[in-house]
Structures are given as C-alpha cells and as structure tokens.
Amino acid sequence: MRTYRDEGIVVGGHKLGEADRIIVILSRNHGLVRAVAKGIRRTKSRFGSRLEPFMLIDFQCHVGRNLDIVTQVELIDPFARAIAADYDAYSAASVMAETATRLTEAEPRTRTQYLLLVSAVRSLCNREHPPRLSLDAYLLRAMAVAGWAPSLMDCAQCGESGPHRAFSPALGGAVCSACRPQGTALPTTETIIHLAALLSGDWNRAEATAEHNSAEASRLVMMYVQWHLERHVKSFSILENA
C-alpha cells in the first residue's frame, strides 16, 4: 500500500456522499492535495475539526485511483480557531486560501507558496497588522512568486523611472503617461508608494498610509489578481459585503 506523509494547510473542501468530505490541502512537498476524509461529517469522526479550513496539519494519505484518502491527521497549529473569532481576519484568510488554490492547482512545486500562505495566516492570527493590509501584502507577494510581480515604480512597459500615477493590470502595473492605455486607473502617487511598501514589507510606511489611499490600493490589488488569474475570485465578495 503506497502512502505519503506531509504537512499542509487546509484551504477548502466540500461534501462527498452522506458522511465523507473532500479536503483540499496546500502541502509543503506534494503540491495541492485533494483527498477524501472518510466519515468526517459524523459526530464520532476521529479527524473532526482538525481538517477545518485554515488548520495547519501533519497528515498522511493513501494514494487512491482517483482521489487519495486521508488516513492520519495531527494538528500543528489551530489557525482556524483564531480566524473564526474575527470576521475581518476570516474574510482575509478566505481570499488568501482561494488565491493560493488558484495559483497552485496546476503547479507540482508549491513550497514557496505554502510557506507564504502559512506566514500570512499566522500573522492574521497574531493580529500583527490590520487584516486588509495583511491580505493585500500577501496577494502582491503571492502574485510575485507566481511570476506576476507588478511594477510599482518604473513603467511596466518602457521602464521609465517613476513613480507613475497610471496603473494597468493588463500591462503589469504602473505605467507612464506615454504608455498609459485609455481608461487606465489613475491612483494617487501615495497609493502606488503604499503598494510598493506592502510588496517590500515596509510595514511602518504601509501602516502610516491614509485610509483612502489604502482602500484605493486594495481595489487595485483586487483588479490585478483577478486579471492575471483570468477568473473571478469568489471570496472577494466577502470583502465587498463587509
């Protein structure tokens, strides 16, 4: 019987039959794992809450014909408990989990994305930064790791030194007036500088940004992510309704 063991963070799942559930785990060494947790929806399940979203786990799976089967789970860090207690943190973590899933579903090597997600969710749990700032920083870095790092100072098209006001997701970030397509967003310079601070981890500058610039930056990040993923991130609707 072929089995494997790894650590990972639960990023989703859905019901299967009357008592089972398909669990989606972003793992350190085995990419994005989709596996069946048998009987998990019964009250006497031996796995129980250990496979709830945002739990950091050590798990073992048996390799199945179509789907692997979870055979053992040990809890490393119960992120879900702190996340569920704060709606803003839950909203941010939901977007993080969905984005991580989209970025890794076709990638065999996901260790860097895994470590980035774990770090971001742990930061949410520890209340290190405001949840929306943590989310925007995570999204920018996750896109960069995936090969879509936005240009936030020099023009994404011609390379002219910035900062520049125009921001085009399709062209790769900030663009100069000569390269700016018609209808491109025109955020303030402060907003672009805020995005650069989030991407680089300059939290002192990021947290000092005015609220309206921070909100404008969040909208740009949302546009950028959805453009490059070429699909709607459903969990963004949680943020819009918050």
Side-chain angles (χ1 to χ4, degrees):
M1 181 174 72
R2 185 184 167 200
T3 63
Y4 61 90
R5 184 173 178 176
D6 205 345
E7 66 178 57
I9 184 168
V10 180
V11 292
H14 56 87
K15 296 177 182 178
L16 179 66
E18 295 183 359
D20 303 340
R21 187 173 177 82
I22 294 177
I23 305 297
V24 185
I25 305 168
L26 180 58
S27 71
R28 177 186 285 268
N29 299 310
H30 291 82
L32 194 67
V33 174
R34 288 181 170 85
V36 178
K38 291 186 174 295
I40 192 173
R41 289 159 54 206
R42 296 193 180 102
T43 55
K44 295 183 179 181
S45 168
R46 58 187 174 132
F47 298 141
S49 61
R50 282 175 283 178
L51 289 175
E52 290 296 312
F54 317 126
M55 290 298 198
L56 185 63
I57 57 174
D58 181 304
F59 68 98
Q60 180 174 288
C61 283
H62 166 62
V63 178
R65 180 173 298 178
N66 297 312
L67 286 169
D68 297 346
I69 299 172
V70 179
T71 57
Q72 184 176 327
V73 180
E74 298 295 335
L75 193 59
I76 298 176
D77 211 327
F79 292 147
R81 296 172 188 170
I83 294 293
D86 184 308
Y87 183 78
D88 289 338
Y90 173 80
S91 301
S94 296
V95 176
M96 290 176 181
E98 184 178 355
T99 303
T101 301
R102 298 287 178 257
L103 289 172
T104 59
E105 56 192 353
E107 297 294 327
R109 297 179 180 177
T110 58
R111 177 175 291 198
T112 304
Q113 290 286 5
Y114 162 76
L115 293 173
L116 182 63
L117 180 62
V118 171
S119 177
V121 174
R122 179 176 284 116
S123 177
L124 281 177
C125 289
N126 294 336
R127 308 294 191 268
E128 293 176 7
H129 312 288
R132 192 59 190 259
L133 290 188
S134 292
L135 172 61
D136 290 341
Y138 165 77
L139 292 174
L140 289 169
R141 295 171 189 178
M143 298 302 288
V145 168
W148 293 310
S151 178
L152 297 173
M153 285 297 166
D154 298 342
C155 176
Q157 282 292 97
C158 69
E160 181 183 344
S161 298
H164 302 288
R165 280 200 60 193
F167 186 91
S168 170
L171 296 182
V175 290
C176 66
S177 56
C179 296
R180 173 194 167 221
Q182 186 175 6
T184 302
L186 288 172
T188 64
T189 301
E190 290 77 9
T191 296
I192 297 296
I193 292 173
H194 174 69
L195 290 173
L198 289 174
L199 181 58
S200 66
D202 185 351
W203 287 105
N204 288 334
R205 179 182 288 273
E207 293 184 350
T209 300
E211 186 175 346
H212 66 278
N213 293 126
S214 179
E216 185 176 45
S218 293
R219 290 191 292 271
L220 294 179
V221 172
M222 189 183 304
M223 290 166 50
Y224 191 83
V225 170
Q226 296 195 128
W227 173 270
H228 288 282
L229 290 182
E230 298 181 340
R231 67 181 75 184
H232 179 64
V233 178
K234 295 179 182 178
S235 49
F236 272 137
S237 61
I238 301 175
L239 299 175
E240 293 166 356
N241 296 329

